[in-house]
Amino acid sequence: MAMSKDWMPGPRSEILSMCRNWIGYMTTERRTAWGIPAADFTDLGLLFAAAQELLQKASEAEERTPVVTVQVQEAFKALTAKMRFFRDRYFKIPPLTAADWAALGFREKDTHPTRIPPPDGTPLATLSYPGGPHAVTIHLGPMPGTEELNPESDYGYAVYVGIMPPGGATLEEAASEKHYLMTAPKDGKPLRHYRFTRRRNEKIIFDAEDAGKTAYVCPRYENGKGQTGQWGPVTSIIIP
């Protein structure tokens, strides 16, 4: 498994693959030798199962709601935190051997690492109504004239979304859980991160209470190391 500067893989499928390998490799004998409590091992397995189930649910759904997006993000946040805990607390050499270290998916420091440049392209998001209540499709692609992109640096899209009531949010609305916008954004900074995607089309279902409000969307490229590039243009649409 290719490792970046941070040993944790970037793609969620690779995080699951690494954790699945850990769980299979940590036999009862090894857990005893490495001093891993049964409770920690059980917790790791439960977090893995939850993250895997939610990611599968999100990938099979025809539309991904903000609720599912947040659930996936939180599940992987909890799983990676537990994996980092395991590495720092239990996966030290010794008692692990070099063979154990390699079997768990770690490698010696690469003296000639492959450099992944930061994103240098500018993406464009266009919006449409796919049909259905409160649904909007986000179409993602490069700005016209910038189709020749570096697939390593411009690996995928970080998408940001914000909602503004007619005339702008009140202070109370802006401070609410949804952080409604008080004014139209000029770039993506006031918007909330919706999700990372490599797909060209993302369908989002807004809550019924947001019908008639304006949705603002702004993307930027993200590379495999999680570095983001410059903001693309902000686009907007009335939520149906």
Side-chain angles (χ1 to χ4, degrees), residues 43-206:
D43 286 345
L44 180 66
L46 292 173
L47 291 170
F48 166 81
Q52 179 175 244
E53 180 180 356
L54 283 167
L55 186 62
Q56 183 68 23
K57 176 182 176 182
S59 66
E60 292 178 350
E62 292 186 3
E63 62 254 358
R64 175 181 277 193
T65 66
V67 172
V68 172
T69 296
V70 171
Q71 289 176 336
V72 172
Q73 290 173 344
E74 291 301 317
F76 275 86
K77 181 179 179 181
L79 176 61
T80 55
K82 192 68 173 182
M83 290 172 69
R84 292 184 187 281
F85 171 81
F86 260 71
R87 184 181 187 275
D88 294 340
R89 177 67 65 88
Y90 304 124
F91 295 167
K92 297 297 183 181
I93 301 176
L96 275 70
T97 65
D100 291 327
W101 188 254
L104 290 167
F106 303 119
R107 290 185 177 180
E108 297 296 329
K109 184 176 180 181
D110 188 356
T111 57
H112 300 286
T114 301
R115 179 179 179 274
I116 300 178
D120 57 2
T122 304
L124 175 69
T126 57
L127 309 174
S128 69
Y129 297 120
H134 324 306
V136 171
T137 295
I138 305 171
H139 308 275
L140 298 159
M143 287 284 288
T146 62
E147 285 78 5
E148 296 297 327
L149 301 174
N150 184 331
E152 291 186 346
S153 60
D154 302 317
Y155 179 74
Y157 304 93
V159 181
Y160 298 77
V161 177
I163 302 171
M164 189 176 77
T170 64
L171 287 173
E172 183 178 2
E173 289 173 328
S176 69
E177 183 180 357
K178 291 190 175 181
H179 299 286
Y180 288 113
L181 300 168
M182 300 180 71
T183 59
K186 296 181 180 179
D187 57 31
K189 293 178 183 178
L191 307 182
R192 304 180 71 185
H193 183 265
Y194 170 58
R195 66 161 304 193
F196 169 83
T197 182
R198 298 196 68 197
R199 296 191 291 190
R200 290 297 188 96
N201 300 295
E202 284 290 340
K203 186 177 179 181
I204 178 172
I205 306 297
F206 292 92

